[in-house]
Amino acid sequence: MKDGMMSTVGQRIRHVLRQVRGPATSDAVFEATALIVGAAFLLVGFLVALPVFWGHQLSISGTGSIGMFAAYGGAIAAALAFALGRLAVRAPEVDPSVARDGFAVPGDRLRWYDLAAIAFAHAAIAYLGWLGIAQLLEQSFVDAPVFAFPGAILVAVAFALTGYVAFLSAVALTPTVLSLVLAVFLVVGAFAAMLASSDVHWWRDNLPAWA
């Protein structure tokens, strides 16, 4: 019964997304749909963050900060937006003789476990990226407090931007885009580790001697 309910919900989501994007599949239509998804995450992020932040002065980074909230929420937004993007481009009927997802060989396509791993990569990029940005801002605005209302707006914008980018990445997913996602994952992870390191001389122990 639970599986049937989930299947029905998935079908309804796909139906709504196809109605929003219309019969065409041009870049302009996907761009408009991505803006709608981003606006939805903007609204949800603000409505969730404002009650949580209300009555508190928050730090930019660290435990309980807006940076941490944006990182966790951004990871969830990235995964959800990626799933919505894949639902938006999913064909009602699969033709095994037609190549999909940018592959050259007919019948080749991304399986569910491939998509799950890619969704996790998008979520990890969002998480590490917002953590790194928060740490950089913390170093630029030392001891600056963040109040509830502007903090909720900042978090909502972070959710919206994350959802927008993840949705567009999902609808344009090809082997080339996969390579780009991997490169961004490595770069963002490296810079986030640099900014979050408590040892200012981390490079002495972590980089080769010849570097």
Side-chain angles (χ1 to χ4, degrees):
M1 181 177 180
K2 185 177 180 180
D3 293 339
M5 184 179 297
M6 295 297 295
S7 177
T8 302
V9 172
Q11 291 175 0
R12 289 181 179 177
I13 292 176
R14 288 194 295 269
H15 179 68
V16 171
L17 288 173
R18 292 192 182 101
Q19 283 185 329
V20 170
R21 73 176 186 177
T25 57
S26 64
D27 293 339
V29 174
F30 284 135
E31 177 73 19
T33 309
L35 288 173
I36 295 173
V37 172
F41 279 110
L42 177 73
L43 180 61
V44 171
F46 181 79
L47 294 177
V48 172
L50 186 60
V52 175
F53 295 166
W54 194 257
H56 298 86
Q57 282 191 5
L58 306 164
S59 59
I60 298 176
S61 67
T63 304
S65 64
I66 63 169
M68 188 66 69
F69 195 92
Y72 281 111
I76 296 173
L80 291 177
F82 182 86
L84 289 175
R86 296 309 302 173
L87 288 173
V89 297
R90 183 176 179 180
E93 296 181 1
V94 179
D95 187 355
S97 63
V98 177
R100 299 171 58 191
D101 300 322
F103 289 100
V105 179
D108 280 353
R109 62 184 178 86
L110 294 170
R111 270 58 177 183
W112 68 267
Y113 44 84
D114 298 321
L115 296 175
I118 300 169
F120 175 80
H122 281 75
I125 290 172
Y127 176 79
L128 295 174
W130 289 120
L131 278 185
I133 291 174
Q135 185 67 30
L136 180 62
L137 291 175
E138 177 71 25
Q139 295 178 7
S140 301
F141 301 93
V142 179
D143 296 329
V146 181
F147 298 99
F149 188 79
I153 293 178
L154 291 173
V155 167
V157 171
F159 286 10
L161 182 60
T162 302
Y164 172 80
V165 173
F167 183 90
L168 287 181
S169 176
V171 299
L173 200 57
T174 63
T176 302
V177 175
L178 288 178
S179 301
L180 179 60
V181 169
L182 176 60
V184 172
F185 177 74
L186 294 175
V187 172
V188 169
F191 275 94
M194 294 177 196
L195 290 171
S197 176
S198 58
D199 182 8
V200 295
H201 296 122
W202 61 268
W203 51 273
R204 293 179 177 175
D205 298 325
N206 294 276
L207 293 180
W210 55 266

